[in-house]
Amino acid sequence: MARIGVFTCWCGENVARHVDIEKVTETVAQMPGVRCSINYKYMCSDPGQAQIRDKIQSERLTGLVVASCSPHMHLKTFRKAAQTAGLNPYLVEMANIREHCSWVHHNREEATAKALDLIRMSVEKVKRDHELVPIRVPLTRRALVIGGGVAGIQAALDIADAGHEVALVEREPSIGGKMAGLSETFPTLDCSQCILTPRMVEVGQHPNIKLYTYSEVESVEGYVGNFKITIRQKARYVDMVKCTGCGDCWNSCPIKKNLSEFDCGMGFRKAIYIPFPQAVPARPVIDRLACTRLKRGTGCGLCEKKCQAKAINFADEDKLVVEQAGAVIVATGYKLYNIAKEQDNAQLSGYGEYGYGKYKDVIDALQFERLVSASGPTGGEIKRPSDGKIPQSVVFIKCVGSRDNAKGLAYCSKICCMYTAKHTMLYKHKTPGGEAHVFYMDIRAGGKAYDEFVRRAIEQDGAKYYRGRVSKITEENGKLIVRGADTLAGAPVTIEADMVVLAVAMRPADGVHALAQKLNVGYDEFGFLSESHPKLRPVETNAAGVFICGACHAPKDIPEAVAQASAAAGKTLVMFGREELTREPEIARINEQTCAACYTCVRGCPYTAIERAETLTPKGVHVKYTARVNEGLCMGCGTCVALCPSKSAELEGFTEQQIYSMVESLMT
Ligand code: FAD
Ligand code: SF4
Ligand code: SF4
Ligand code: SF4
């Protein structure tokens, strides 16, 4: 005999404003099987939960329905309350009368009627719930971090310092990410490399960190606690063990091209190179598309001759390595919107009027960072790429690509207001008498000491800010003619500039979608990886055991990326600190007696969670072929249930009987 308790929450005014709580409570009390029906202002609060616990015990409830917000928000809270009072936590249902009702229907009568329908359905469902127990899965206390920028570095060090092994996979020849190429950093203007390189060295020398540079994740199998990751180590053509990093090879290489990725295409490097002097590992790599020997199969070979350690290996090939990990942290960062080239996104129609890619002295913000940096191609002197002269007037244009529904991306890139202020300061400090002009839409400088920083750029260092857009840039007699508007003065502005710097939008790194698909992680309409809950689970994803941090999630500055990385590491360590790993038991089950072994479910499961299995029949004679669910992999999506022609697949907690009873309760 069912003894169901229904607990209706006001959610302050969130529910109570549009739903008649008293009427709901009274009507629910009359529903068959309902033993008690009460309401409270905040059911999730301590006193609210105490009422639930008391009623479970005093009324000997066999199930409960909490009519309140989304189960995403508080199902765990109410399950815990039930468990504390001795009720199996899987005998708890939630009727979402907030998001599905009071937030979308403002006619009180209709909202109240719908709330009653939702509760009635939940009551019918909970009557048919069974006691379930969480699934235990083995746990590998080892982490994989993908991306070796500042976020990946921080996450790897936090986990390694806590005593666990970490494999760090970075696709470039060195770790460091974008921060390694920055000059000085807002809001303190401390040198980026001075802060970062000691951390990079720490990663390189840490006994608990295994570094895979020039590598990418090829495939991912397994599930939370037990991932098996295949890593492709790209051919480097240099034996990392024999190589001493002496530099004889790159000093002797005759190929020198304007290729340096680190200098954003503004500096030279050899065909055999280390990306920058502080690279970790400080070992070279041969660019197979630039090297004479590797392109033609014959010729040059000077590096091989000069290398006393005999480390050059032209026969090197890609290698596949397998790593086991219990948790994966994705920290693949960002790239800048290349307004001259990028056509991979239908939303982007470009900014041809700014002349990027056409005029040499129109550059993007990361290129400017390299010009200002002491380790950059000009040794830190700000010189025009076209003729090496010092620019006397620089125009900075913000929001290029960001906040532009018409031809760019709708979101704000969040950091460019700050780095543009920084750029004007660095330029003015290095170029006495130089003019810095900034075109902006808004100044967004929310952060500790951020607004003060922007004010300093304007009030102390004298950057001139114009609120308005630039409509066209042309080149005349070696000058860039920038035509725009100052909407505050209500006047057009024309500036003769020597250089233009574009604060272009931040976008997710190349290849992140393929990686997200391997990990079953979602991404938003702009391609940034999705968190599980924007407020309560900001570094978790919907794939159990996979965490995200840094700019792969959204545009971020360094402090935010580092904080998020430590949060992801913290979540990983919480998981590693558990005695055993448990998973929610609401997964699919196959009835092996009725399974016709057609394997439609095997083909249809998006998580490859169903395997073909062979079992002996009860008499032990014939082999019976069936489908079987891997408990570790199943995400409970229900695809197999919908696909199975013999109705042999069923989802725990969402049986056919339960769904039909809910539908029937609506009809009667
Ligand atoms: P990244 O630095 O992008 O690192 C990601 C790493 O992952 C890279 O090494 C990349 O090669 C690797 N990777 C990508 N895909 C894969 C893959 N599939 N497999 C393996 N590895 C992969 N912030 C500040 O706080 N102060 C400043 O002064 C400042 N100045 C800036 C100036 C400019 C012009 C710009 C554009 C940004 C600036 N920032 C500044 C922001 C700063 O660059 C970012 O906050 C920071 O770099 C984010 O770190 P990350 O590790 O998330 O990403
Ligand atoms: Fe440079 Fe290739 Fe010649 Fe080596 S063999 S020196 S990498 S061009
Ligand atoms: Fe524009 Fe500033 Fe947002 Fe960048 S941070 S997109 S410059 S408003
Ligand atoms: Fe695969 Fe989804 Fe079925 Fe689980 S419920 S076995 S994830 S199809």
Side-chain angles (χ1 to χ4, degrees):
M1 174 71 178
R3 299 164 70 88
I4 310 299
V6 179
F7 301 86
T8 305
C9 181
W10 298 36
C11 194
E13 285 216 325
N14 266 310
V15 173
R17 196 179 300 128
H18 299 298
V19 173
D20 184 340
I21 301 278
E22 288 307 331
K23 182 174 174 190
V24 166
T25 314
E26 282 163 24
T27 314
V28 166
Q30 308 307 318
M31 288 180 185
V34 172
R35 178 74 190 179
C36 71
S37 170
I38 60 173
N39 66 66
Y40 187 64
K41 212 155 191 176
Y42 295 105
M43 227 19 135
C44 58
S45 66
D46 253 5
Q49 290 186 51
Q51 293 187 50
I52 294 177
R53 289 194 297 267
D54 287 350
K55 286 287 176 197
I56 289 174
Q57 286 172 344
S58 63
E59 301 292 340
R60 289 179 293 112
L61 298 180
T62 57
L64 55 100
V65 173
V66 185
S68 57
C69 52
S70 159
H72 271 300
M73 189 88 181
H74 276 314
L75 184 58
K76 271 194 179 157
T77 313
F78 297 121
R79 278 186 170 169
K80 224 178 199 166
Q83 194 169 22
T84 325
L87 185 72
N88 183 286
Y90 299 96
L91 302 177
V92 176
E93 294 292 338
M94 285 185 76
N96 185 350
I97 60 168
R98 191 179 75 174
E99 283 86 336
H100 289 180
C101 199
S102 64
W103 276 3
V104 283
H105 305 292
H106 293 168
N107 176 313
R108 197 169 172 78
E109 247 174 61
E110 284 174 7
T112 305
K114 184 170 174 187
L116 281 166
D117 282 346
L118 293 173
I119 297 170
R120 190 178 301 110
M121 288 161 74
S122 301
V123 168
E124 288 311 311
K125 180 165 188 266
V126 79
K127 283 184 196 167
R128 290 160 182 84
D129 271 336
H130 298 293
E131 293 195 352
L132 297 174
V133 280
I135 298 161
R136 293 175 179 185
V137 284
L139 169 64
T140 308
R141 289 184 177 80
R142 209 165 180 277
L144 179 95
V145 176
I146 308 171
V150 65
I153 287 174
Q154 181 71 32
L157 284 173
D158 282 352
I159 297 169
D161 285 346
H164 298 286
E165 289 181 358
V166 181
L168 174 56
V169 180
E170 165 58 51
R171 93 169 147 203
E172 297 298 329
S174 168
I175 54 169
K178 299 288 189 302
M179 188 177 167
L182 300 182
S183 53
E184 290 162 28
T185 52
F186 64 74
T188 44
L189 289 189
D190 41 359
C191 151
S192 184
Q193 292 217 350
C194 309
I195 327 171
L196 185 68
T197 47
R199 307 288 279 160
M200 290 165 59
V201 172
E202 229 182 299
V203 167
Q205 294 177 349
H206 205 297
N208 283 343
I209 299 181
K210 195 164 177 187
L211 195 51
Y212 292 97
T213 49
Y214 213 41
S215 302
E216 283 191 57
V217 169
E218 181 85 1
S219 63
V220 182
E221 291 167 53
Y223 46 87
V224 56
N226 300 280
F227 293 106
K228 185 176 152 198
I229 306 104
T230 305
I231 299 162
R232 178 176 290 273
Q233 283 188 297
K234 290 176 269 185
R236 219 174 161 115
Y237 306 103
V238 174
D239 185 324
M240 298 280 279
V241 180
K242 290 183 186 163
C243 174
T244 59
C246 67
D248 286 348
C249 56
W250 65 81
N251 287 330
S252 62
C253 176
I255 306 289
K256 187 179 178 191
K257 287 192 175 167
N258 190 5
L259 288 169
S260 170
E261 295 82 0
F262 185 66
D263 283 333
C264 304
M266 295 188 307
F268 291 89
R269 69 156 165 79
K270 301 288 187 77
I272 183 164
Y273 68 101
I274 57 166
F276 51 101
Q278 301 79 10
V280 172
R283 299 286 180 269
V285 55
I286 301 184
D287 175 349
R288 59 164 303 119
L289 298 175
C291 166
T292 316
R293 166 68 73 87
L294 289 171
K295 270 196 305 188
R296 299 191 195 140
T298 174
C300 192
L302 269 175
C303 54
E304 192 183 29
K305 282 194 198 105
K306 290 282 176 186
C307 177
Q308 293 186 11
K310 305 246 170 289
I312 306 293
N313 173 15
F314 292 116
D316 197 10
E317 287 180 347
D318 288 8
K319 288 180 206 67
L320 294 179
V321 188
V322 175
E323 278 284 347
Q324 307 281 347
V328 177
I329 296 180
V330 188
T332 47
Y334 70 97
K335 66 173 180 181
L336 285 190
Y337 169 19
N338 184 333
I339 60 172
K341 291 194 192 133
E342 235 180 306
Q343 280 154 13
D344 60 338
N345 188 327
Q347 288 160 308
L348 308 175
S349 60
Y351 288 81
E353 65 273 27
Y354 291 167
Y356 183 83
K358 184 174 163 195
Y359 307 134
K360 279 189 175 165
D361 297 325
V362 178
I363 60 174
D364 72 28
L366 276 178
Q367 290 176 311
F368 190 74
E369 289 283 338
R370 295 309 300 143
L371 285 186
V372 189
S373 175
S375 68
T378 54
E381 275 192 77
I382 302 174
K383 292 180 177 170
R384 303 200 330 161
S386 61
D387 56 11
K389 287 188 185 154
I390 293 174
Q392 294 307 314
S393 164
V394 180
V395 168
F396 297 86
I397 307 178
K398 300 206 296 179
C399 299
V400 179
S402 316
R403 307 179 62 206
D404 187 345
N405 264 333
K407 50 187 184 173
L409 300 145
Y411 57 86
C412 166
S413 287
K414 200 172 176 183
I415 55 161
C416 12
C417 277
M418 286 302 293
Y419 72 59
T420 298
K422 172 182 82 172
H423 286 172
T424 65
M425 274 185 193
L426 296 176
Y427 168 68
K428 298 279 282 185
H429 295 174
K430 292 197 172 206
T431 320
E435 287 177 16
H437 304 270
V438 180
F439 283 88
Y440 72 102
M441 278 161 69
D442 293 295
I443 299 175
R444 295 184 169 179
K448 192 169 175 178
Y450 280 16
D451 200 52
E452 298 91 310
F453 184 82
V454 177
R455 279 179 192 285
R456 216 170 92 200
I458 300 170
E459 289 163 10
Q460 278 183 26
D461 292 312
K464 290 182 188 149
Y465 272 59
Y466 309 91
R467 187 162 203 235
R469 302 293 282 165
V470 166
S471 54
K472 185 101 187 134
I473 299 174
T474 51
E475 201 176 46
E476 289 168 30
N477 305 323
K479 289 273 183 189
L480 293 163
I481 312 300
V482 182
R483 292 187 176 82
D486 180 345
T487 54
L488 293 181
V493 184
T494 302
I495 297 166
E496 274 193 20
D498 294 318
M499 192 191 272
V500 173
V501 181
L502 306 178
V504 285
M506 256 172 134
R507 300 199 50 209
D510 284 330
V512 72
H513 300 157
L515 181 66
Q517 278 158 13
K518 287 174 193 163
L519 291 162
N520 288 321
V521 170
Y523 44 87
D524 66 21
E525 58 183 309
F526 303 111
F528 290 106
L529 300 182
S530 303
E531 69 280 32
S532 179
H533 188 286
K535 293 166 205 162
L536 300 179
R537 299 172 74 195
V539 296
E540 285 149 286
T541 65
N542 281 340
V546 181
F547 306 99
I548 50 175
C549 61
C552 65
H553 162 250
K556 272 189 188 70
D557 60 19
I558 296 161
E560 221 186 326
V562 168
Q564 218 190 9
S566 285
K571 287 281 172 192
T572 305
L573 292 173
V574 167
M575 201 171 115
F576 288 178
R578 288 195 195 130
E579 294 237 316
E580 61 177 7
L581 207 59
T582 54
R583 298 204 55 208
E584 291 299 338
E586 288 133 325
I587 59 161
R589 299 269 176 219
I590 307 280
N591 181 341
E592 296 189 2
Q593 299 309 314
T594 56
C595 171
C598 67
Y599 301 131
T600 311
C601 57
V602 176
R603 292 187 292 276
C605 173
Y607 300 98
T608 55
I610 312 188
E611 302 151 2
R612 294 164 191 242
E614 293 171 12
T615 43
L616 292 181
T617 55
K619 285 187 182 157
V621 196
H622 305 294
V623 171
K624 178 166 169 47
Y625 297 97
T626 53
R628 192 169 294 158
V629 175
N630 181 324
E631 292 188 338
L633 285 176
C634 175
M635 299 297 283
C637 70
T639 307
C640 55
V641 180
L643 289 176
C644 178
S646 65
K647 296 199 181 305
S648 303
E650 199 160 66
L651 214 55
E652 296 279 20
F654 292 91
T655 61
E656 200 171 277
Q657 206 199 4
Q658 285 180 303
I659 306 289
Y660 279 127
S661 69
M662 291 166 82
V663 176
E664 270 167 29
S665 75
L666 269 186
M667 312 284 211
T668 50

